[in-house]
Amino acid sequence: MRVMMRQPTLFLTVGLPCTDKTTAARRIEIERAALRLTKDEWVKALYGHENPPSAGDVIEGRLIQIGLRALELGNNVVIDYGLWSRNERSALRQAAADRGALVEMRYFELTPAEQRSRRDRRQAEAPHTTWPMSDDELAEWSATIEIPTRAELDGSEPLDHPPPGFSTWDEWREHRWPPSLS
């Protein structure tokens, strides 16, 4: 008997906080039988009210390793991080391609007023799931996100080369998401 493996898909949720990424990731998890990897849930479980950036990077990297292994095993995976930089998205697109997986990228965007409204609602109704975010932080983050192009979203845009100083996306990925806090 010959078993046919289906081609797995890596789903990338891209967007700022409070734009509905996690809700969409949960939907993808169910509808597409995907392993959902949501960094904030892990940081909250390990650090409670703290949100140390260096630990968040390591947690993201460890979850990416798990996700890439799941792709190798033929499972769909949804990464729920925000992925604000094009380099992050390119590195993950390349890693998925290296494993024979498809990539579906979803970008989530709201007006600043709606984003603040969702933030306020989340902090009032489920403060244990989030951290305080000021209006200034939301504005600062909005200025730093590299919004994906239409061609990046639909997968028709070729991958960029790794940034200067890195010969491969795997090398860059390990630098961006270090294996430990040291």
Side-chain angles (χ1 to χ4, degrees):
M1 180 193 300
R2 196 171 129 187
V3 177
M4 295 291 290
M5 293 283 297
R6 64 182 167 89
Q7 188 173 23
T9 301
L10 176 63
F11 297 91
L12 302 176
T13 61
V14 179
L16 294 168
C18 307
T19 56
D20 228 14
K21 294 181 312 297
T22 299
T23 300
R26 288 182 178 131
R27 191 170 36 255
I28 293 166
E29 174 184 31
I30 293 166
E31 293 173 359
R32 299 294 297 271
L35 173 64
R36 180 175 56 86
L37 301 169
T38 300
K39 176 193 79 168
D40 290 352
E41 292 173 356
W42 285 85
V43 173
K44 275 292 194 182
L46 294 170
Y47 293 96
H49 295 297
E50 296 180 38
N51 187 9
S54 60
D57 291 346
V58 171
I59 290 168
E60 284 183 10
R62 292 295 176 159
L63 292 175
I64 287 168
Q65 289 176 346
I66 292 167
L68 295 178
R69 180 64 181 135
L71 290 173
E72 292 170 351
L73 295 171
N75 298 296
N76 293 331
V77 174
V78 57
I79 302 283
D80 176 26
Y81 294 177
L83 302 169
W84 297 354
S85 92
R86 182 180 175 93
N87 284 342
E88 291 171 328
R89 299 186 301 266
S90 293
L92 293 174
R93 288 174 61 203
Q94 182 64 62
D98 291 345
R99 286 153 180 83
L102 301 171
V103 174
E104 285 189 29
M105 191 180 311
R106 313 244 173 119
Y107 175 58
F108 300 85
E109 181 178 35
L110 294 173
T111 66
E114 181 61 25
Q115 186 185 19
R116 285 191 306 276
S117 174
R118 286 177 183 228
R119 175 211 52 203
D120 294 345
R121 190 168 45 252
R122 181 191 299 171
Q123 288 179 341
E125 296 171 2
H128 61 284
T129 66
T130 190
W131 292 273
M133 294 174 257
S134 70
D135 288 349
D136 288 342
E137 286 173 313
L138 292 177
E140 177 186 330
W141 297 333
S142 179
T144 62
I145 188 171
E146 296 176 74
I147 297 171
T149 64
R150 182 177 311 268
E152 185 185 6
L153 287 169
D154 70 20
S156 64
E157 189 169 276
L159 282 170
D160 297 330
H161 293 288
F166 298 95
S167 58
T168 66
W169 278 114
D170 284 341
E171 185 182 330
W172 183 89
R173 196 175 71 242
E174 192 164 309
H175 172 78
R176 167 62 183 89
W177 292 295
S180 67
L181 288 173
S182 57

